[in-house]
Amino acid sequence: MSPHVLILGGTTEARELAAELTSHPGIRVTTSLAGRVVRPGPVAGEVRVGGFGGVRGLAGWLRAEGVCAVVDATHPFAETITAHAARAAELTGLPLVVLRRPGWQPGPGDRWHPVPSLDAAAGLLPRLGRRVLLTTGRLGLGAFAHLTELHFVVRSVEPPEPPMPPHTRALLARGPFTLADETALLREHGIDVLVTKDSGGAATSAKLTAARELGLPVVLVRRPPLPPGVTAVPDVATARARLHTVLPE
């Protein structure tokens, strides 16, 4: 039987790992997508969409499908999925590799305000600005809904879901974004504060450079911690190397 790897996907790194693994004959790869994005990018290998039914549902699927390793390459803020993957891997005795791109690091001139949650970000905003570029995704906007005196530009890939602040303009766009584009966006909308999650990676980092060059404060929502005993690898090459004991060379 061919070795079978489950990739919990939805990120660029997940697609890159699926392409790398499927390029080797004899490796079966299934990428699982949550189904929240209507038009996900192409993925090599098999694709399944939707949840597993919690930890025991995932563990049952891993056994039924003969999976030999699990790779969690979900978004750094997909806390529940990561916890389920860690527990299901423990129940089934399978190796788990958590693939996370490194977080962003501040540089000279950055005016970052790290916070632990969207609620904490909302609590800071009235002291920092009146016109907000919000790039935390289409969910969770209810944390800002009470800020009736602020104006928001909400940028996301899919339409944002209510509740949301009353003065909100939705901007649908998918990265990567250039520095020139981000600078023009901030200026066009008169943005005086940026709120974003520490997603890491280069595709959406230009907004941080633009904010620095314009002297704007950035409220940065920190990543949730990994489950106890779980560590992450930073790139596809390292993830592939971690799988060497269960996959052919």
Side-chain angles (χ1 to χ4, degrees), residues 7-246:
I7 300 176
L8 302 172
T11 61
T12 299
E13 290 80 10
R15 291 193 295 273
E16 291 175 353
L17 181 61
E20 200 284 328
L21 293 178
T22 56
S23 70
H24 297 272
I27 299 178
R28 179 187 173 194
V29 178
T30 299
T31 297
S32 177
L33 303 176
R36 293 175 179 171
V37 177
V38 176
R39 294 180 297 276
V43 179
E46 302 173 32
V47 176
R48 71 174 303 279
V49 178
F52 291 91
V55 172
R56 296 200 176 278
L58 174 55
W61 191 92
L62 295 174
R63 294 187 184 102
E65 295 295 325
V67 170
C68 66
V70 180
V71 179
D72 172 18
T74 55
H75 192 276
F77 286 81
E79 186 175 10
T80 299
I81 298 174
T82 298
H84 287 182
R87 181 61 180 142
E90 182 181 3
L91 288 174
T92 55
L94 296 178
L96 170 68
V97 178
V98 177
L99 172 56
R100 292 286 186 274
R101 71 189 73 146
W104 292 314
Q105 298 297 321
D110 281 320
R111 298 173 57 196
W112 288 10
H113 299 264
V115 294
S117 65
L118 293 178
D119 288 333
L124 273 184
L125 281 181
R127 288 177 276 162
L128 296 177
R130 309 294 292 179
R131 301 188 64 85
V132 184
L133 175 61
L134 193 59
T135 64
T136 57
R138 66 186 181 92
L139 304 176
L141 302 184
F144 305 92
H146 65 286
L147 299 175
T148 58
E149 297 184 359
L150 304 188
H151 292 257
F152 291 81
V153 175
V154 175
R155 183 171 70 189
S156 57
V157 176
E158 304 285 344
E161 292 192 2
M164 63 184 72
H167 303 296
T168 295
R169 176 174 178 178
L171 180 62
L172 303 185
R174 185 192 297 269
F177 304 104
T178 68
L179 176 58
D181 289 340
E182 298 291 60
T183 302
L185 174 67
L186 294 172
R187 286 176 169 160
E188 176 186 353
H189 295 281
I191 300 299
D192 51 20
V193 59
L194 166 67
V195 181
T196 192
K197 291 179 176 180
D198 184 13
S199 301
T204 59
S205 65
K207 61 193 172 191
L208 300 172
T209 305
R212 179 196 312 135
E213 294 184 354
L214 294 174
L216 303 182
V218 176
V219 180
L220 188 74
V221 182
R222 293 191 296 263
R223 298 177 176 188
L226 292 171
V230 174
T231 59
V233 299
D235 52 47
V236 169
T238 309
R240 176 64 177 88
R242 287 285 181 91
L243 297 170
H244 78 279
T245 58
V246 294

